[in-house]
Amino acid sequence: MSPSEFETRARAWVGDAVARLGFTAATDDGFDVSVFHDLSTDAELALLDRHRAWQREKFAAGYGALAWPAEYGGADAGTDIAEAFARIENELCPLPPHELVSVTLHLIAPTIRLLGTEDQKRQFLPAMLGGELLACQLFSEPAAGSDLADLGTRAVRDGDDWIVSGQKVWTSGAQFAEWGELLARTDPDQPKHAGITAFLVPLDAPGVEVRPIRQMSGGNSFNEVFLDNVRIPDRHRLGEVGQGWSVALTTLAFEREGGSNTAGIGGQFTQLVDTARRLGRDTDPRVREQLARVYLRQQLATVDQLRDRQARDGGAAPSAIGSIRKIQWVDKLAAVSTAARTVLGRSLVADTGVPGTYAWNAHVLGAPGYSIAGGSDQIQRNIVAERLLGLPAEPRADRGLTWREARSRTGAH
C-alpha cells in the first residue's frame, strides 16, 4: 500500500472511529492551551477512560502500534507510516493529550521491549499497547534533587522477593497508574551509579501510598509516592541487579527524543495569532516580533523531528541529541508565555469572559514545570556540553566514593 493510500484509509477510519466513540473538544470553545491539566479527579479519570478506549480501538484496528514489530502486536509499518497516522490523529481526534498515556506508550513500553524478559514483554506490552494498563516513572526523590543517581530508596533482597522502602516525588499520573517503573538502591556500598536496580511495581501493592501535589496552575498532575516495605517479586526486576542506571538512561533517552509526542502540549503559534487578532494586537510591532520568535521555534522543531526520523530510520539509537531537543522545546514554551503576556496584559490574570484570553493563564503557569521535568535545563546543558561538545565534566565531590560514604559526608539519609 502506498503512503497516499494509507493516509486516505487512515483518515476515513479516524473520522469514523471518533464519531463512533462520541469524542468532542475538551472545552466549549475548543480553546485549550494548558500545559498541565486542571481537572477534578473524576474529570481526569473520564479523560483517561477516553484515551484507553481510543487506544483499544486503534490497537484492534491495527493502528495502535504501527512502528512496532508484529510479535508485540505491531504492524511493522515503519516510522513514516506511524508519523503520518499521528498527524491525522492530531488533526481529527479532539482528545487532549495526557502525560500518563505518553509515558506508558513512548517511554516505559519501549524500555520493556528493549530490556525486559520475555515473560515481562508478554505480560506488559500487549496490555500497554492495547490501552489496558498505564504506567508511571518512579524516579525522582526529594533528597536527590536533580541528581537522579543519588536516589536513596532502598531495595533489600529477601529470597525471591525484594523489600522496598523510600519516597518518590513529582511522579506524573501515579494516582491513575496501575504500575510504575521504579529505581531503587540495592547496594549502598557501590558508587551511586553502580548500586541501582530497576523494578516494575504494581501501585496497588500493600505499602504503596500515592499523594497528589496541587500545582500553581490548579491541577494535581504530580504526586508523592511512599513505599513502606513493599514486597516486589524478583521476576519484576527490569534488567540485571546493579544495572538500573542503564535502564534509567534508556527510559530518559526515549523521553528526551520524544519531542514529537509533546509538540502539541500548551499554546501554539496559530492560537497566539488568533488571540492577537481578536484583541486587535496583531499589528503591534512588539507582538509581531514575539509571534515571529514562536513561529521560528515551531518551524525549527519540525525540521528537528525530520532529522530525528532520518536518524531512527538509519538505525541510530537514542542519544544526547535528545537533550538539545528538550532544551529547544522548553525554550519554545517560554517564548509562547512571553508572547501571551505581551498580547494579553491584564487579561491574563482576570477572566473577563472574552473567549481565548484568560485560558492562556494555564499555559503561563504550567510552562515552567517542563524546565524541570525530565531533567532540568541545567542537567540537559551539562549532557550536551560533556557528551556532544566533549567539554570537561563538572567537578564532583563524590567522585571515588560509595553512595553510603557520600551521603555520610553531606549528612543526608
Side-chain angles (χ1 to χ4, degrees):
M1 180 186 304
S2 69
S4 60
E5 290 173 330
F6 170 81
E7 291 195 27
T8 299
R9 188 183 72 173
R11 183 173 291 276
W13 182 86
V14 171
D16 289 344
V18 166
R20 184 169 59 255
L21 293 172
F23 291 162
T24 56
T27 60
D28 290 340
D29 62 1
F31 193 88
D32 181 10
V33 294
S34 61
V35 175
F36 296 105
H37 293 294
D38 181 9
L39 301 173
S40 67
T41 297
D42 288 344
E44 196 156 5
L45 277 170
L47 173 60
L48 283 169
D49 284 343
R50 292 196 295 274
H51 271 285
R52 290 180 191 267
W54 180 240
Q55 189 63 27
R56 284 196 300 270
E57 197 84 5
K58 289 193 297 181
F59 195 62
Y63 294 110
L66 284 165
W68 280 63
E71 61 184 305
Y72 304 122
D76 276 320
T79 305
D80 286 350
I81 292 295
E83 291 184 355
F85 182 84
R87 289 193 297 271
I88 294 169
E89 183 179 12
N90 290 337
E91 176 187 346
L92 299 180
C93 181
L95 275 182
H98 196 286
E99 187 173 6
L100 182 58
V101 177
S102 180
V103 167
T104 300
L105 295 177
H106 304 298
L107 277 60
I108 297 181
T111 300
I112 294 173
R113 173 184 158 190
L114 285 180
L115 303 176
T117 65
E118 290 304 314
D119 285 344
Q120 288 170 347
K121 293 174 186 178
R122 284 192 294 268
Q123 177 181 354
F124 292 103
L125 295 183
M128 289 179 172
L129 297 176
E132 300 172 16
L133 187 156
L134 296 174
C136 61
Q137 292 171 260
L138 297 167
F139 283 18
S140 298
E141 296 189 6
S146 294
D147 187 2
L148 175 59
D150 194 34
L151 61 91
T153 293
R154 288 295 312 277
V156 178
R157 191 72 183 256
D158 182 26
D160 291 332
D161 296 335
W162 296 82
I163 309 300
V164 179
S165 294
Q167 180 186 355
K168 300 293 181 176
V169 74
W170 311 127
T171 304
S172 300
Q175 71 271 53
F176 305 115
E178 286 85 21
W179 287 77
E181 180 186 337
L182 170 74
L183 298 179
R185 187 159 303 281
T186 48
D187 190 348
D189 295 313
Q190 293 285 337
K192 62 184 179 183
H193 293 86
I196 299 170
T197 303
F199 301 90
L200 297 165
V201 56
L203 295 188
D204 61 354
V208 177
E209 180 185 0
V210 179
R211 299 180 190 172
I213 299 171
R214 180 65 62 181
Q215 298 151 218
M216 68 177 179
S217 56
N220 55 1
S221 299
F222 302 133
N223 302 269
E224 297 176 285
V225 181
F226 297 86
L227 303 109
D228 184 11
N229 291 318
V230 178
R231 186 171 290 272
I232 303 175
D234 187 59
R235 68 178 182 276
H236 289 156
R237 173 170 42 83
L238 184 58
E240 299 299 322
V241 175
Q243 296 299 310
W245 187 244
S246 295
V247 177
L249 290 180
T250 299
T251 303
L252 292 173
F254 283 123
E255 181 174 36
R256 288 162 187 166
E257 75 160 5
S260 60
N261 301 322
T262 54
I265 291 176
Q268 306 299 312
F269 171 75
T270 55
Q271 293 168 310
L272 275 172
V273 172
D274 289 344
T275 299
R277 287 173 175 163
R278 182 182 292 121
L279 299 177
R281 302 295 310 281
D282 55 311
T283 58
D284 184 304
R286 286 186 62 226
V287 169
R288 293 174 70 86
E289 178 184 354
Q290 292 177 12
L291 289 175
R293 291 179 183 276
V294 173
Y295 178 80
L296 286 173
R297 282 158 176 76
Q298 258 182 225
Q299 293 302 109
L300 287 172
T302 300
V303 173
D304 288 338
Q305 288 168 20
L306 292 173
R307 293 178 61 185
D308 290 344
R309 184 180 70 188
Q310 290 175 342
R312 290 195 301 272
D313 288 346
S319 70
I321 290 291
S323 292
I324 294 180
R325 304 290 181 261
K326 169 69 162 46
I327 293 168
Q328 290 174 325
W329 182 61
V330 170
D331 183 54
K332 179 248 182 178
L333 289 176
V336 171
S337 292
T338 300
R341 287 195 294 267
T342 302
V343 170
L344 290 160
R346 290 176 295 179
S347 297
L348 187 64
V349 296
D351 190 353
T352 61
V354 178
T357 56
Y358 182 68
W360 283 100
N361 183 279
H363 177 102
V364 173
L365 291 180
Y370 271 105
S371 67
I372 302 171
S376 68
D377 287 355
Q378 292 82 0
I379 294 294
Q380 306 299 344
R381 287 185 168 87
N382 279 350
I383 291 172
V384 171
E386 294 173 16
R387 300 184 193 173
L388 293 179
L389 301 180
L391 297 178
E394 282 194 322
R396 279 177 40 196
D398 60 0
R399 189 177 298 278
L401 300 178
T402 69
W403 177 84
R404 192 192 302 274
E405 290 169 339
R407 279 291 178 105
S408 66
R409 286 194 179 189
T410 63
H413 300 286

